[in-house]
Amino acid sequence: MSFDMNAFRLDGKVAWITGAAYGIGFAMAEAFAAAGAKIAFNCRDEKHLTQALSDYAAKGIDAKGYIGDVTDEAQVAEMVKKIEADLGTIDILVNNAGIIRRVPMCEMPAEEYRKVIDIDLVAPFICAKAVIPGMIAKGHGKIINICSMMSELGRETVSAYAAAKGGLKMLTRNICSEFGEQNIQCNGIGPGYIATPQTAPLRQRQPDGSRHPFDQFIVAKTPAARWGEAEDLMGPAVFLASDASNFVNGHILYVDGGILAYIGKQP
Ligand code: NAP
Ligand code: GCO
């Protein structure tokens, strides 16, 4: 039996990447487009939409952009309807939209905690629920949930984010369990520390020009000895979106330069 490398291609597939106006989502969308997929993305405001459409066009990608908040079921249903009308039934959903709040737990109002859970954990449920019927009717589907190091590890100040991303790991396994028989694969990608706007405050130069202590901490904690770039997620995302991963289900693929394998530098 020979292996056909085209199993990694996404020709003609319709991919919806949430929150992909920039950052990790944009890079994954770019990779999907290079593999032949038709791209749909959403963001929350006109300014980001206009900017993103011009950034996609500059890369030669004819992406369809929509304004919509992933925590709002009615807006999500409306977006799915529009994507289906514009491009066809969604084959690939990437639950990428997410936020973080870095606040010591005892200082965090419950309302702020709920907001993080709402965007990082409830929204992937809402978006998955909106696309699964179409995937079942089509006979296949791929859902990729963007998890985190915090799906496995805790740290000071990120209680809500860690709770949400740990929950997202289990939602991933549950979608796999519930819809595996309908040929839907739901997997997660757990990025390590990636240089995007979300982590910019952790990499800010100090007034004396030296590197942020957290920046140095992450480089020391990472066997690859560097921050990840959004581009590092491209290959893993294409793999999990493609037929090459058709028997991979309920898995979290950590793309972390080795952080989870490492006990830390010996003294
Ligand atoms: P980012 O640069 O902050 O981008 C996040 C995107 O999500 C933005 O486009 C944002 O749009 C969108 N978004 C947030 N809330 C939304 C909502 N309610 N509805 C629609 N869109 C919404 O973050 P990133 O670093 O690329 O991260 C992308 C994903 O990877 C997130 O889930 C994040 O938690 C996860 N992650 C990041 C890292 C990292 O080191 N960077 C590591 C592990 C996991 P707006 O402009 O409208 O806010
Ligand atoms: C933090 C970071 C992280 C990363 C990422 C790690 O404050 O610790 O922002 O949580 O963004 O999710 O995988």
Side-chain angles (χ1 to χ4, degrees):
M1 192 171 172
S2 63
F3 178 67
D4 184 355
M5 283 297 288
N6 285 320
F8 289 94
R9 299 259 343 147
L10 304 176
D11 295 294
K13 297 274 169 67
V14 176
W16 174 29
I17 305 102
T18 68
Y22 53 85
I24 289 173
F26 184 88
M28 291 188 295
E30 190 186 341
F32 287 175
K38 296 185 258 182
I39 304 302
F41 72 96
N42 67 292
C43 58
R44 286 181 293 188
D45 63 50
E46 198 68 49
K47 191 181 110 217
H48 284 154
L49 182 70
T50 309
Q51 177 66 54
L53 286 172
S54 111
D55 290 346
Y56 279 108
K59 301 257 180 196
I61 301 166
D62 180 22
K64 300 277 180 241
Y66 309 87
I67 293 194
D69 187 322
V70 285
T71 62
D72 184 313
E73 280 201 278
Q75 289 185 33
V76 167
E78 189 57 31
M79 277 190 284
V80 170
K81 221 161 92 187
K82 282 188 188 150
I83 296 168
E84 284 179 353
D86 290 344
L87 299 175
T89 307
I90 294 164
D91 301 282
I92 303 159
L93 163 69
V94 184
N95 279 312
N96 167 75
I99 60 164
I100 191 164
R101 294 283 178 267
R102 300 181 185 98
V103 184
M105 183 171 147
C106 293
E107 292 165 26
M108 188 174 211
E111 207 35 58
E112 211 173 330
Y113 185 91
R114 279 196 198 97
K115 174 98 192 148
V116 176
I117 299 290
D118 208 26
I119 296 178
D120 291 2
L121 182 56
V122 181
F125 161 80
I126 291 174
C127 294
K129 216 172 72 152
V131 301
I132 284 171
M135 290 177 169
I136 293 175
K138 212 170 179 181
H140 70 90
K142 301 276 185 184
I143 298 174
I144 303 173
N145 291 327
I146 303 305
C147 298
S148 164
M149 293 292 90
M150 272 64 216
S151 299
E152 298 294 334
L153 303 169
R155 84 172 189 83
E156 304 83 349
T157 76
V158 296
S159 55
Y161 187 77
K165 294 295 188 177
L168 188 56
K169 173 177 71 177
M170 288 314 301
L171 177 65
T172 303
R173 291 180 179 163
N174 209 84
I175 294 173
C176 151
S177 308
E178 204 162 334
F179 299 102
E181 209 173 334
Q182 276 92 6
N183 196 24
I184 292 174
Q185 289 85 48
C186 180
N187 292 290
I189 290 180
Y193 278 78
I194 312 295
T196 68
Q198 192 202 72
T199 53
L202 306 175
R203 285 175 285 106
Q204 216 161 34
R205 289 274 167 182
Q206 299 298 279
D208 66 0
S210 64
R211 284 163 61 183
H212 194 295
F214 198 91
D215 177 353
Q216 299 179 34
F217 163 68
I218 286 304
V219 172
K221 279 293 284 178
T222 309
R226 65 169 176 87
W227 282 70
E229 300 296 333
E231 289 70 23
D232 289 312
L233 282 321
M234 288 174 150
V238 168
F239 169 62
L240 290 178
S242 74
D243 287 344
S245 62
N246 279 352
F247 204 54
V248 180
N249 210 351
H251 182 75
I252 311 298
L253 176 52
Y254 290 102
V255 184
D256 64 353
I259 293 177
L260 292 177
Y262 190 39
I263 194 169
K265 235 179 226 345
Q266 66 180 34

